[in-house]
Amino acid sequence: MPARVTISGLATNVKSVLAARYYFRCATSVGARVRVYGRPAVKNEGVMRIGDRVRLLSTIATSQIEVGPEGELDIGDSVVMSFGCSIGVTKLIRIGARSRLGPYVMMMDSDFHCLEPERRLERPPSQPIILESDVWIGTRAMVLRGVTIGYGSVVGAGSLVIRDVPPRTLVAGMPAKVIRSF
């Protein structure tokens, strides 16, 4: 049986595609059929590439994406980012195709300041964050600088990822530890 398209469904679809063009107007490139729901905060001073069929939700809580002057953000095809996500890029963050980011996920490739009180105005070097294809990141998880999450891996809700995650692995906890491989 063919799917029915309602007028309100069509209007929502058109509105989300137009919203994507508006909110990603500062992006270097935007793929086909990208959709934005809600009102995200998007700032790009570097390179921002958005793949085909990406969906960004910013309905219940504002999603934030900021790319600094020397930063590069690559979002692969068919990525879904839920509401409240926060991505800060000073060097490189790459999100692989078909990855899913749950609500309130945070990714930052820089610590933005040193720990010592006399050096707090200094910015330490950034390290890239790489999410390979088909990665799922659970609600309120945080991924810090220098981390690569392997193909098909899952990060449990509320986890703090400070080390690389092997492919096809479930990690969870603070800091995130391997629970099992699949």
Side-chain angles (χ1 to χ4, degrees):
M1 173 178 264
R4 279 185 67 167
V5 177
T6 64
I7 298 295
S8 65
L10 184 60
T12 300
N13 195 25
V14 169
K15 182 179 174 184
S16 67
V17 170
L18 293 174
R21 294 295 169 194
Y22 175 75
Y23 286 108
F24 289 131
R25 68 189 180 278
C26 60
T28 307
S29 64
V30 179
R33 298 183 182 165
V34 174
R35 290 172 170 72
V36 170
Y37 301 91
R39 302 170 83 181
V42 179
K43 181 179 179 184
N44 180 27
E45 296 176 336
V47 175
M48 181 187 294
R49 288 185 285 270
I50 312 294
D52 295 337
R53 296 181 181 267
V54 169
R55 285 184 287 167
L56 172 63
L57 286 73
S58 186
T59 50
I60 296 171
T62 302
S63 291
Q64 303 168 322
I65 299 174
E66 185 166 344
V67 180
E70 297 174 15
E72 180 180 338
L73 173 65
D74 279 321
I75 300 176
D77 295 342
S78 301
V79 169
V80 177
M81 296 171 51
S82 194
F83 58 84
C85 285
S86 182
I87 298 176
V89 185
T90 59
K91 184 174 184 174
L92 171 67
I93 294 181
R94 182 169 294 131
I95 302 171
R98 298 171 308 281
S99 292
R100 305 290 187 252
L101 279 60
Y104 302 103
V105 166
M106 182 178 277
M107 294 193 299
M108 299 180 296
D109 68 354
S110 173
D111 291 339
F112 294 100
H113 59 80
C114 292
L115 294 176
E116 303 85 2
E118 61 277 357
R119 296 182 58 210
R120 293 243 168 97
L121 297 178
E122 293 178 35
R123 182 177 281 183
S126 300
Q127 294 177 315
I129 295 174
I130 308 294
L131 274 61
E132 294 181 357
S133 300
D134 298 300
V135 169
W136 283 18
I137 308 238
T139 301
R140 295 192 187 278
M142 183 180 285
V143 181
L144 297 184
R145 68 189 183 111
V147 169
T148 296
I149 300 178
Y151 164 82
S153 291
V154 177
V155 175
S159 297
L160 176 63
V161 185
I162 59 173
R163 289 182 203 90
D164 289 352
V165 176
R168 299 184 59 91
T169 303
L170 168 63
V171 297
M174 279 204 183
K177 293 183 169 76
V178 173
I179 305 299
R180 69 180 180 101
S181 295
F182 42 89

